[in-house]
Amino acid sequence: MLPATMLPVVNYATDRLELIASKLRIDDAIGRGDTTFTHNGCPVHVIKDSGIVTHIGYRLFVNNERELFDLPVFDFLERSALEADLPGILKDVTVERSLEEDGVRYANGDLRSLLTVAPDKTLSLAIENPDGRNYLLRWTDAAGNVAYAVTFPIFYDLLHGTEMKENERRLWEGLSQHSIVHRDTLQVDASMLVESPDSAVMVLEGDQYYFPDNNSNRYYESVDSATFKLVCSDDHPLYSLANLVTSTEIVNNYKVRVRLVGYDYSDRYFTMPLSEFVDYFIGKGCKPYFGVIEADSKKITALLTMKNEKEGYCHNIRLTAPTSIILIENGEITARITPYIPISRILSLFDD
């Protein structure tokens, strides 16, 4: 066994997970590669992804449930159930009271009921998002009767046990350290495309977010009758910019000069390759939406919304680029990020 001074440093996705590991006194064991633990007679579920601990909680859900729904609800409920059995997780309030204040509600039980209900294979689990703002988990018996239900807001801080200052710090760290680009090449054919007002450009229509002109469209031009490629030319600067910031398919040398707006006015500034910038958000489960705010012969101002519906947030990114950006081989785009805006609380997408 390695002495403590020689153990690998354990990295945690959140400060809360690091605190839980400390309370359970399993930090060294995780550093040795162990992920099998118990607490109060219940198995503890530890998940590591690329060397980072992304989850610690009671093991309540089986893998096929997680794979079937692919939602953050499982980590949230497993972690909350474990936290309720750990003293000192929160200051001056119990975990149960904090969850109540955050809008967590139960039917036919309470938080501790999860320890018996979730593993009960005689019950069927259904997960709904009835209003786009709350998750509802419902367990029913063979007769269709509701045995237990829990509902809670789709709110990033609640789901992960974080606060805005930590979210901003980790976003900045993640962006500044990100150096990988996964090329999201998409094969398209003529049947998938519709004409745009410019006859030379075809559109792969995507989703809209709040307004038709704020969308996830991609713009193509024909190579021949059967082959199409993403537009990236100075003849079509708006379509080109949309493609560059909503996809990583186009290989480019552009940079993005970032201002990350801080919750407490402590803004951060840095510069990174545009493709890595876009890849980071897409890799975090965000879907990009692009909309032009204003444009003339000199400058384009646009809004790039990176929306993570499952986690309940979006990053609003105000972009400014020279209209001649495509002609500039090493051109630079400025990006002002207002991060982690709760989707449920958005009143106007273009409010500044």
Side-chain angles (χ1 to χ4, degrees):
M1 181 181 296
L2 290 172
T5 54
M6 296 178 61
L7 290 173
V9 175
V10 180
N11 295 310
Y12 296 88
T14 66
D15 295 347
R16 180 71 69 83
L17 292 174
E18 186 171 5
L19 176 60
I20 292 172
S22 174
K23 295 288 184 182
L24 292 173
R25 299 182 179 179
I26 60 174
D27 189 80
D28 289 348
I30 293 175
R32 290 191 292 269
D34 191 3
T35 56
T36 304
F37 310 98
T38 60
H39 182 70
N40 286 354
C42 298
V44 173
H45 189 192
V46 177
I47 298 177
K48 294 179 71 175
D49 183 11
S50 301
I52 299 174
V53 176
T54 59
H55 173 57
I56 306 175
Y58 282 142
R59 184 179 290 277
L60 303 177
F61 300 96
V62 295
N63 290 339
N64 64 349
E65 288 175 320
R66 288 173 165 271
E67 293 168 2
L68 176 63
F69 294 104
D70 188 26
L71 293 170
V73 299
F74 302 109
D75 286 1
F76 166 65
L77 292 174
E78 288 188 344
R79 191 194 74 243
S80 297
L82 172 60
E83 288 177 335
D85 284 344
L86 296 175
I89 288 292
L90 301 175
K91 294 181 179 179
D92 303 321
V93 66
T94 65
V95 169
E96 292 91 339
R97 179 59 184 272
S98 177
L99 292 175
E100 180 183 358
E101 292 173 352
D102 286 331
V104 181
R105 298 291 182 265
Y106 312 93
N108 300 332
D110 54 21
L111 179 61
R112 290 203 59 81
S113 302
L114 277 169
L115 301 180
T116 55
V117 171
D120 187 345
K121 298 312 165 193
T122 68
L123 301 176
S124 297
L125 170 63
I127 302 178
E128 301 173 18
N129 177 4
D131 57 3
R133 300 184 176 192
N134 296 272
Y135 281 123
L136 170 63
L137 283 76
R138 184 187 291 114
W139 284 261
T140 55
D141 61 23
N145 301 310
V146 176
Y148 177 75
V150 57
T151 183
F152 45 88
I154 307 173
F155 187 42
Y156 185 87
D157 292 11
L158 174 64
L159 293 174
H160 296 275
T162 58
E163 295 181 350
M164 183 57 78
K165 290 185 70 172
E166 179 186 351
N167 296 340
E168 292 170 356
R169 169 172 57 85
R170 291 190 179 275
L171 176 58
W172 170 68
E173 291 171 349
L175 280 168
S176 59
Q177 296 169 11
H178 191 70
S179 60
I180 301 173
V181 177
H182 303 88
R183 297 294 173 190
D184 60 345
T185 304
L186 179 65
Q187 299 297 322
V188 300
D189 58 51
S191 67
M192 302 166 63
L193 305 174
V194 298
E195 290 187 359
S196 75
D198 184 331
S199 59
V201 176
M202 304 291 285
V203 183
L204 178 64
E205 293 184 316
D207 299 325
Q208 302 172 4
Y209 189 44
Y210 270 80
F211 303 102
D213 290 338
N214 195 68
N215 55 59
S216 58
N217 292 354
R218 292 191 184 187
Y219 303 93
Y220 289 83
E221 58 186 353
S222 61
V223 177
D224 54 45
S225 60
T227 309
F228 299 85
K229 68 175 183 178
L230 285 173
V231 171
C232 188
S233 82
D234 59 296
D235 292 331
H236 306 288
L238 298 181
Y239 294 149
S240 300
L241 183 59
N243 284 340
L244 285 167
V245 300
T246 60
S247 164
T248 58
E249 183 173 339
I250 300 172
V251 179
N252 65 83
N253 295 316
Y254 301 119
K255 303 287 186 182
V256 58
R257 182 157 49 90
V258 181
R259 173 189 173 190
L260 177 58
V261 177
Y263 181 74
D264 58 354
Y265 305 102
S266 56
D267 296 356
R268 295 179 171 92
Y269 299 84
F270 55 97
T271 300
M272 65 185 296
L274 175 62
S275 291
E276 294 175 7
F277 178 79
V278 175
D279 182 81
Y280 175 83
F281 292 109
I282 293 176
K284 291 294 184 180
C286 294
K287 183 170 184 174
Y289 295 82
F290 176 86
V292 175
I293 297 174
E294 58 183 2
D296 55 32
S297 61
K298 294 183 179 180
K299 184 175 70 173
I300 301 169
T301 302
L303 182 69
L304 174 64
T305 300
M306 289 292 186
K307 179 186 178 187
N308 191 320
E309 190 166 4
K310 292 179 181 179
E311 302 272 5
Y313 71 85
C314 66
H315 304 299
N316 274 0
I317 306 171
R318 188 181 180 95
L319 302 173
T320 306
T323 305
S324 59
I325 182 71
I326 307 304
L327 294 173
I328 308 170
E329 183 177 353
N330 296 303
E332 188 173 83
I333 299 168
T334 62
R336 190 186 69 190
I337 307 174
T338 304
Y340 291 103
I341 302 172
I343 292 173
S344 62
R345 297 180 184 175
I346 293 177
L347 298 177
S348 174
L349 189 63
F350 290 95
D351 278 356
D352 219 6

